RNA sequence: GGCGGCGUAGCCAAGUGGUAAGGCAGGGGCCUGCAAAGCCUUUAUCCGGCGGUUCGAUUCCGCCCGCCGCCUCCA
C-alpha cells in the first residue's frame, strides 16, 4: 500500500510520490527565537518529527530543513525594550529551543539555517523577482505585487476579491505605503526603531521581510522544487501562500509538491492564552514535575489534523500508558528458554501499524494495534506460552515502532541500590517465615524510598515508582 | 462580514451509509498470604441539538448551539 498524505493544496489525500525515488526533501517552518517555545509550538514540531521518523521507517532518505527566524518585528522590539543585542537574544533562545527538542525526543533536522545568515540569498531572490517585474519600491521598501501572480490564493483557497484588508484586526493597513494592502514586504527599509538591526545591501539599508527567508533557504537547501513543506494551519495564509508566490515567480518552477499542516493545540478545550492562565511552555510543565515522555505521548498520539485537546488528566493517563508498555517490556525481558513463537502476532501488529500510518499518519489506530498486541501477548505470557526468541522478537518490534513514535521504549536503566536489594532479601525471609506483617512493612518502606515491589512466579521484582 | 476545522463514554481519542477501535480512570471477578503486575468482565441503546435525504445516518444535506483557526509577518 502506498503512503497517502493529506495535501492542503488539494484538500485531499494523495499518494506520496517523491521527486527522486526513495528520497524526500522536507522543509518545516521553525520558531522565531525570541522566547521559550510553548507546547502548542511543539505540537507542530512533534507532528513533523513523527512524519520524518515514519518516512525513515518506511525506507525513505529524508533531508529535513527547519529555519530559525532570528530577525523579525517582535525580536527587534524585544531588543529595543531590553537593550540586548539581536544576537544575544536569539542565541539564548535558539539554545533553549534545542534543549527543548532534546527533552521531547524530537530528532534533529539536517540543518537549521538562520535568516540572518542568509541575507545574500534573500537579496538575490528579491533581485530575481524585481528583474521579472513582480516587485515595486515604495519609500525604500520593496513589495511583492500579488496581482503579478495569478495563482495567488491557491493554497489557502482564498478569493482575493473577498479578502478583507485588516480583517484580523492585527495589522494596521495604513502602516505601509503599498499599492495594494494585500501586497507584502520583501525588503523593509531601515527606520530608527530598528536600532542596529540592518543590512547595507544592493537593495538599500534595511532588513528582509519575513516570508522571503523561507523561500530563499528552502530553495537553497532543498532545490527549487522539493517534496514536502509543513507548518501549523495558521501558516497557510499568508505565510505559505506568500512563499509560493515568491518561489514560483523567482525560480519559474513549481515550489512544493505536498503541503502538510497540523491543527492547533487547545488546553482544556480553550485556546491557550496568558490571560486564561492556561499558557504553558515546555519548561513550565517540566517545572511542575511532568514527565517529558508523557508530554510527548500527549502531543504525538492525536492525529495531526485534529485539534489536540491538551489536559492534565490526559497527561496523567499518558504516564500510565507509558508504564504499561514498560512493564510489558520488562516481562518480555525476563522470559528464558524455549517456547512458542510470536511471528504471526508480530507481523500482524506491524502490518496494522503500518497500514494506519500509511493512511495520513493515523497514529491513534497505529497505537491501538500496539495495545492489541500487548494485551494478546500478555495473555500468552500468563500462560507461559512464549519462548525467549519470541520474546526478543517482540522487543525488537517495540524498538522498531519506538523509532517511529518515540514513546514505546524501555524505562531508563536505574541500578537498584544495595540497601534496597537487602530489603528485598529481608522481605523474602520474612515471607518464608510467614511474617507477613514484617513483609508488608518492608514493602511500604521500599515504596517510601521510591521502589515498587512485585512478587512474580519467578521471585520478587523491584521497579522505580 | 468572508473562508475553514472540530464537537464521539468521567478524561484522551479512532472510525464507518448498516448499527461504536484503543488508552487512562471506575465497578465486578481470576490470580496473590495481602498487594502489584497481568488476564477476564463491565461502563456511549448511542456519537452537541433540531429537522431532511435514505430501507437504514454517528457517518450525507440544512439550520442552530458551543469550541478553534485564518483573513498580510501567530505552530
Amino acid at each position: 500500500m502506498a503512503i497517502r498524505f493529506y495535501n492542503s493544496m488539494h484538500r485531499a489525500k494523495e499518494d506520496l510520490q517523491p521527486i527522486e525515488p526513495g528520497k524526500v526533501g522536507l522543509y518545516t517552518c521553525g520558531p522565531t527565537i525570541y522566547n521559550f517555545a510553548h507546547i502548542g509550538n511543539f505540537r507542530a514540531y512533534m507532528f513533523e518529527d513523527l512524519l520524518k521518523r515514519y518516512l525513515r521507517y518506511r525506507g525513505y532518505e529524508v533531508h529535513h530543513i527547519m529555519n530559525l527566524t532570528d530577525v523579525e518585528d517582535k525580536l527587534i522590539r524585544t531588543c529595543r525594550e531590553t537593550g540586548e543585542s539581536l544576537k544575544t537574544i536569539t542565541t539564548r533562545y535558539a539554545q533553549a529551543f534545542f534543549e527543548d527538542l532534546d527533552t521531547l525526543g524530537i530528532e534533529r533536522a539536517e540543518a537549521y539555517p538562520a535568516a540572518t545568515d542568509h541575507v545574500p540569498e534573500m537579496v538575490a531572490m528579491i533581485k530575481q523577482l524585481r528583474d521579472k517585474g513582480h516587485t515595486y519600491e515604495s519609500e525604500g521598501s520593496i513589495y511583492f505585487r500579488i496581482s503579478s501572480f495569478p495563482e495567488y490564493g491557491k493554497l489557502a483557497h482564498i478569493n482575493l476579491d473577498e479578502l478583507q484588508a485588516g480583517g484580523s484586526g492585527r495589522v494596521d493597513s495604513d502602516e505601509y505605503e503599498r499599492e495594494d494592502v494585500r501586497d507584502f514586504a520583501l525588503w523593509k527599509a531601515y527606520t530608527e526603531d530598528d536600532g542596529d538591526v540592518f543590512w547595507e545591501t544592493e537593495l538599500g539599508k534595511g532588513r528582509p521581510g519575513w516570508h522571503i527567508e523561507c523561500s530563499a533557504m528552502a530553495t537553497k537547501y532543498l532545490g527549487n522544487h522539493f517534496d514536502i513543506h509543513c507548518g501549523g494551519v495558521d501558516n497557510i495564509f499568508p505565510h505559505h501562500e506568500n512563499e509560493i508566490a515568491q518561489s514560483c515567480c523567482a525560480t519559474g518552477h513549481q515550489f512544493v509538491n505536498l503541503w502538510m499542516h497540523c491543527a492547533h493545540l487547545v488546553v482544556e478545550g480553550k485556546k491557550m492564552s496568558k490571560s486564561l492562565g492556561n499558557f504553558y511552555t515546555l519548561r513550565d510543565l517540566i517545572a511542575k514535575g511532568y514527565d517529558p515522555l508523557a508530554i510527548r505521548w500527549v502531543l504525538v498520539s492525536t492525529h495531526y489534523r485534529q485539534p489536540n485537546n491538551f489536559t492534565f488528566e490526559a497527561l496523567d493517563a499518558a504516564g500510565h500508558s507509558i508504564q504499561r508498555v514498560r512493564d510489558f517490556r520488562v516481562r518480555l525481558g525476563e522470559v528464558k528458554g524455549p517456547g512458542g513463537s510470536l511471528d504471526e502476532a508480530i507481523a500482524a501488529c506491524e502490518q496494522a501499524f503500518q497500514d494506519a500510518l500509511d493512511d495520513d499518519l493515523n497514529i491513534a489506530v497505529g497505537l491501538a494495534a500496539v495495545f492489541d498486541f500487548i494485551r494478546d501477548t500478555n495473555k500468552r505470557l500468563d500462560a507461559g506460552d512464549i519462548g525467549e526468541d519470541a520474546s526478543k522478537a517482540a522487543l525488537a518490534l517495540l524498538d522498531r515502532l519506538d523509532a517511529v513514535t518515540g514513546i514505546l521504549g524501555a524505562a531508563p536503566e536505574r541500578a537498584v541500590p544495595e540497601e534496597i536489594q537487602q530489603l528485598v532479601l529481608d522481605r523474602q525471609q520474612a515471607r518464608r517465615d510467614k511474617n507477613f506483617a514484617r513483609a508488608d512493612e518492608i514493602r511500604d518502606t521500599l515504596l517510601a524510598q521510591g521502589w515498587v515491589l512485585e512478587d512474580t512466579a519467578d521471585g520478587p521484582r523491584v521497579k522505580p515508582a
Side-chain angles (χ1 to χ4, degrees):
Chain A
M1 196 167 106
I3 299 178
R4 285 151 37 92
F5 290 136
Y6 183 87
N7 189 347
S8 302
M9 177 69 84
H10 302 133
R11 293 187 176 170
K13 290 180 193 174
E14 300 173 354
D15 287 358
L16 176 69
Q17 290 183 306
I19 295 164
E20 192 176 338
K23 295 187 177 180
V24 171
L26 173 68
Y27 186 90
T28 62
C29 282
T32 299
I33 39 181
Y34 76 111
N35 211 333
F36 296 115
H38 58 69
I39 54 173
N41 297 127
F42 286 112
R43 199 270 163 112
Y45 308 139
M46 193 64 80
F47 140 63
E48 291 151 2
D49 188 52
L50 177 66
L51 171 65
K52 179 168 63 173
R53 285 165 173 254
Y54 187 63
L55 287 171
R56 289 195 171 137
Y57 165 86
R58 291 290 263 119
Y60 290 95
E61 188 183 311
V62 182
H63 194 62
H64 176 207
I65 303 296
M66 175 181 273
N67 68 300
L68 298 178
T69 298
D70 61 349
V71 54
E72 180 262 359
D73 289 359
K74 287 193 296 285
L75 263 166
I76 291 171
R77 188 170 62 224
T78 306
C79 290
R80 214 165 48 230
E81 287 167 1
T82 64
E84 292 183 302
S85 75
L86 187 70
K87 199 71 188 165
T88 302
I89 295 168
T90 58
T91 300
R92 176 166 65 236
Y93 291 111
Q95 190 187 334
F97 175 66
F98 289 122
E99 286 169 6
D100 288 351
L101 291 184
D102 290 345
T103 298
L104 287 172
I106 293 175
E107 291 181 355
R108 295 294 177 92
E110 274 56 59
Y112 291 92
T116 57
D117 292 331
H118 295 78
V119 173
E121 286 87 344
M122 289 188 254
V123 169
M125 185 172 263
I126 294 168
K127 282 170 65 187
Q128 277 183 300
L129 290 169
R130 189 172 61 186
D131 293 346
K132 294 184 181 183
H134 293 288
T135 71
Y136 60 90
E137 196 174 322
S138 172
E139 298 183 0
S141 291
I142 299 174
Y143 297 95
F144 185 94
R145 184 181 284 115
I146 283 175
S147 59
S148 73
F149 184 57
E151 295 192 5
Y152 193 85
K154 208 173 164 189
L155 174 68
H157 297 87
I158 280 177
N159 179 345
L160 281 184
D161 298 335
E162 290 171 357
L163 250 188
Q164 182 174 327
S168 67
R170 278 211 327 247
V171 171
D172 176 1
S173 54
D174 295 329
E175 188 176 353
Y176 306 114
E177 293 304 320
R178 286 171 286 184
E179 291 179 0
D180 185 322
V181 288
R182 301 167 308 190
D183 292 337
F184 59 90
L186 296 166
W187 185 260
K188 299 174 140 181
Y190 179 78
T191 71
E192 289 301 320
D193 283 346
D194 293 344
D196 58 1
V197 179
F198 64 85
W199 284 262
E200 292 278 11
T201 74
E202 300 166 61
L203 304 174
K205 180 178 179 179
R207 60 191 169 95
W210 174 43
H211 312 293
I212 194 69
E213 72 178 66
C214 285
S215 289
M217 299 194 290
T219 52
K220 172 177 179 178
Y221 291 95
L222 295 171
N224 290 340
H225 179 204
F226 59 94
D227 298 296
I228 306 178
H229 192 134
C230 300
V233 284
D234 52 291
N235 278 153
I236 293 174
F237 194 87
H239 184 51
H240 289 164
E241 198 66 63
N242 291 352
E243 275 187 57
I244 292 169
Q246 294 166 338
S247 304
C248 291
C249 291
T251 70
H253 291 90
Q254 183 180 346
F255 182 41
V256 168
N257 277 353
L258 183 60
W259 289 91
M260 297 176 74
H261 296 97
C262 68
H264 278 192
L265 174 143
V266 296
V267 175
E268 311 283 355
K270 296 282 182 186
K271 176 182 180 171
M272 187 166 65
S273 73
K274 285 176 179 163
S275 59
L276 283 179
N278 65 353
F279 184 96
Y280 301 105
T281 64
L282 177 62
R283 283 143 198 267
D284 292 336
L285 297 178
I286 300 298
K288 284 171 178 282
Y290 287 100
D291 179 1
L293 196 63
I295 299 169
R296 181 181 175 93
W297 190 296
V298 168
L299 293 179
V300 84
S301 61
T302 298
H303 185 86
Y304 74 93
R305 286 192 290 113
Q306 292 294 322
N308 183 328
N309 188 15
F310 186 95
T311 67
F312 287 94
E313 203 171 336
L315 203 48
D316 292 335
H320 289 126
S321 298
I322 289 164
Q323 193 58 49
R324 176 164 164 83
V325 174
R326 287 177 170 174
D327 286 348
F328 176 61
R329 296 188 67 123
V330 168
R331 286 192 84 184
L332 287 171
E334 288 170 347
V335 174
K336 295 283 177 269
S341 158
L342 282 167
D343 290 352
E344 211 171 302
I346 287 170
C349 174
E350 190 153 21
Q351 190 61 54
F353 180 86
Q354 191 171 305
D355 288 348
L357 278 280
D358 273 0
D359 183 15
D360 200 29
L361 296 178
N362 194 333
I363 182 74
V365 169
L367 287 175
V370 175
F371 279 104
D372 285 342
F373 174 77
I374 290 174
R375 188 190 57 245
D376 293 344
T377 304
N378 264 325
K379 212 179 299 186
R380 290 187 58 191
L381 285 166
D382 284 349
D385 182 35
I386 304 287
E388 189 172 344
D389 290 347
S391 215
K392 284 188 171 143
L395 284 170
L397 168 72
L398 290 177
D399 287 342
R400 288 196 295 280
L401 303 187
D402 182 52
V404 177
T405 61
I407 52 176
L408 301 173
E413 291 288 335
R414 186 170 155 198
V416 183
E418 214 159 299
E419 67 266 25
I420 298 297
Q421 292 185 43
Q422 187 55 51
L423 282 169
V424 173
L425 291 175
D426 292 349
R427 178 170 172 282
Q428 282 304 90
Q429 188 55 50
R431 292 184 75 210
R432 275 193 292 273
D433 298 340
K434 303 286 181 198
N435 185 353
F436 295 120
R438 173 65 186 149
D440 292 348
E441 185 189 325
I442 293 174
R443 190 166 59 199
D444 291 342
T445 304
L446 287 169
L447 186 59
Q449 295 186 31
W451 295 88
V452 172
L453 187 138
E454 300 176 344
D455 293 315
T456 75
D458 301 319
R461 166 204 297 157
V462 284
K463 66 182 185 188

